[in-house]
Amino acid sequence: MKEKLFSWLNRSLDPNTAIGVAAYAGTVNAVCLKKQSDQWIVHSFYSVTVAEQADYTAAIVACTNQVSTDICAVNLVIPHYFYQIVQMDKPNLSDEEIIQSLPWTTKDLVDITPENIVADFIDYPITLPMQSSKMNVFITNKLQLLPFIDSFEQTKPVLRAMTSEEMVLVTLFGTYKEAHMLIVQHANHEPRILIIRDGKLVLARRLNGFLGISDKDQNQELVEALGLEIQRSMDFFESQLKQPPIRSIQLQCDDLSSLTLRASLAEFLQIKVVDFTPNLELTQQLEPNFYYALGAAYQLTDPESVR
């Protein structure tokens, strides 16, 4: 999901520079990639700690200006709590017509007035016999985004696109043919369950009631409850969607003790559980808190990645 913001924009952007900006676990992070000798490299990166949501705009400006003063494209990762994901039947319309209709076809699914809905979609990669094609729709409130968008009036780099955390993780995950599950949890937020296969998002679930699992002594009942939710998602994927078994579970968690949780989940589920490792060589040059910004920048290196 990459919402094109400025269809009227004709400014010439440096095609050899790309910036990703992301808010992650109390920080805003920016990564600048540059193309040298037909190869993209990490040119610069910068992070600013934020305490209040009102501080995000100033941090976005500071990070963006710090990593580059070129007139180049920026891809902004929207924080996951700013948007919802819903699955809908895909109408027999062009992509542009679908996008134009989304504020009205989704208005009863969210508590946002149609004029303030910003929405985009991706095709759902699985179609079962006797079922219509489906799509995953990403919905957010324009009023929430405007301060972020306006902050780029103070930067030379140009906000060219916005993307979701889920699609950044798909980018970072790569194109394994087998299906893998990713458990994602940011500091002070509930976990999410993703299933990614062959470079596509197959399942996205947001869980509730698991904040206590971050306690140092880890409540065993909550660990088992999380295991049951993971098992339900695996059963749905394998039985209802009739897909091959999940090959591994990967953890991308801030509050959770990965070592303890890995062992507990592996024993409970009888499946391989490992820490998340992006399938992208550029990540080897950065700390994990920069992964989202890097993924967003990397999306811009593909000419087809932004419609």
Side-chain angles (χ1 to χ4, degrees):
M1 188 274 293
K2 290 169 281 290
E3 175 68 16
K4 187 174 179 181
L5 295 176
F6 305 121
S7 59
W8 48 266
L9 187 61
N10 293 314
R11 294 175 68 182
S12 178
L13 303 181
D14 180 358
N16 296 316
T17 305
I19 296 175
V21 179
Y24 181 85
T27 63
V28 170
N29 308 291
V31 173
C32 176
L33 300 180
K34 280 190 175 289
K35 193 174 186 180
Q36 295 181 0
S37 302
D38 293 327
Q39 185 175 4
W40 289 93
I41 66 167
V42 175
H43 170 71
S44 55
F45 53 92
Y46 194 70
S47 181
V48 173
T49 301
V50 293
E52 304 290 339
Q53 187 165 314
D55 298 336
Y56 277 117
T57 52
I60 287 171
V61 173
C63 284
T64 304
N65 284 331
Q66 183 69 30
V67 296
S68 181
T69 56
D70 296 332
I71 300 177
C72 60
V74 178
N75 191 9
L76 175 68
V77 185
I78 305 172
H80 66 92
Y81 46 86
F82 270 33
Y83 60 87
Q84 300 177 49
I85 306 174
V86 298
Q87 190 174 99
M88 302 174 63
D89 289 336
K90 184 178 180 182
N92 187 23
L93 300 170
S94 69
D95 286 0
E96 289 300 322
E97 289 172 326
I98 292 174
I99 291 173
Q100 290 172 9
S101 68
L102 285 177
W104 308 103
T105 56
T106 62
K107 63 182 177 65
D108 294 331
L109 304 176
V110 294
D111 188 22
I112 309 172
T113 58
E115 59 268 24
N116 289 327
I117 289 177
V118 175
D120 203 348
F121 76 96
I122 57 172
D123 291 327
Y124 187 65
I126 297 174
T127 302
L128 297 177
M130 308 300 293
Q131 283 192 0
S132 60
S133 297
K134 296 186 180 296
M135 59 183 181
N136 283 331
V137 181
F138 298 75
I139 308 168
T140 187
N141 189 331
K142 179 173 64 177
L143 297 180
Q144 282 185 307
L145 298 181
L146 283 177
F148 284 20
I149 296 170
D150 291 344
S151 66
F152 287 93
E153 294 179 359
Q154 303 174 55
T155 68
K156 284 190 176 180
V158 177
L159 182 59
R160 179 64 178 80
M162 295 187 296
T163 188
S164 69
E165 292 187 6
E166 285 78 7
M167 296 314 296
V168 166
L169 286 166
V170 169
T171 297
L172 293 170
F173 208 89
T175 55
Y176 292 109
K177 294 297 182 183
E178 303 88 359
H180 295 264
M181 180 178 284
L182 186 59
I183 311 301
V184 183
Q185 184 265 334
H186 296 338
N188 302 315
H189 287 279
E190 299 277 11
R192 289 168 284 162
I193 297 176
L194 311 181
I195 296 178
I196 298 170
R197 188 197 65 195
D198 198 21
K200 295 180 174 62
L201 181 65
V202 181
L203 182 142
R205 285 187 62 203
R206 299 187 178 192
L207 305 180
N208 291 304
F210 289 93
L211 284 180
I213 204 170
S214 63
D215 293 341
K216 289 183 179 180
D217 57 352
Q218 290 204 4
N219 185 316
Q220 187 60 30
E221 290 184 2
L222 281 178
V223 173
E224 292 181 2
L226 177 61
L228 286 172
E229 293 297 339
I230 292 171
Q231 187 64 62
R232 290 190 183 101
S233 296
M234 293 171 64
D235 291 344
F236 174 78
F237 178 75
E238 296 171 16
S239 301
Q240 300 297 316
L241 298 181
K242 305 184 186 308
Q243 300 299 306
I246 300 291
R247 284 299 186 92
S248 76
I249 296 175
Q250 300 195 25
L251 306 180
Q252 200 256 325
C253 304
D254 292 336
D255 283 346
L256 307 184
S257 170
S258 294
L259 186 61
T260 304
L261 188 66
R262 258 187 1 222
S264 299
L265 289 178
E267 181 180 3
F268 185 83
L269 297 165
Q270 294 298 297
I271 190 173
K272 180 181 178 182
V273 180
V274 298
D275 286 334
F276 172 60
T277 302
N279 188 27
L280 187 63
E281 288 186 10
L282 290 170
T283 59
Q284 298 175 13
Q285 305 175 44
L286 296 166
E287 294 295 322
N289 60 298
F290 287 101
Y291 285 171
Y292 283 72
L294 173 63
Y298 192 75
Q299 286 180 350
L300 292 176
T301 66
D302 177 2
E304 299 301 318
S305 68
V306 181
R307 291 195 295 269

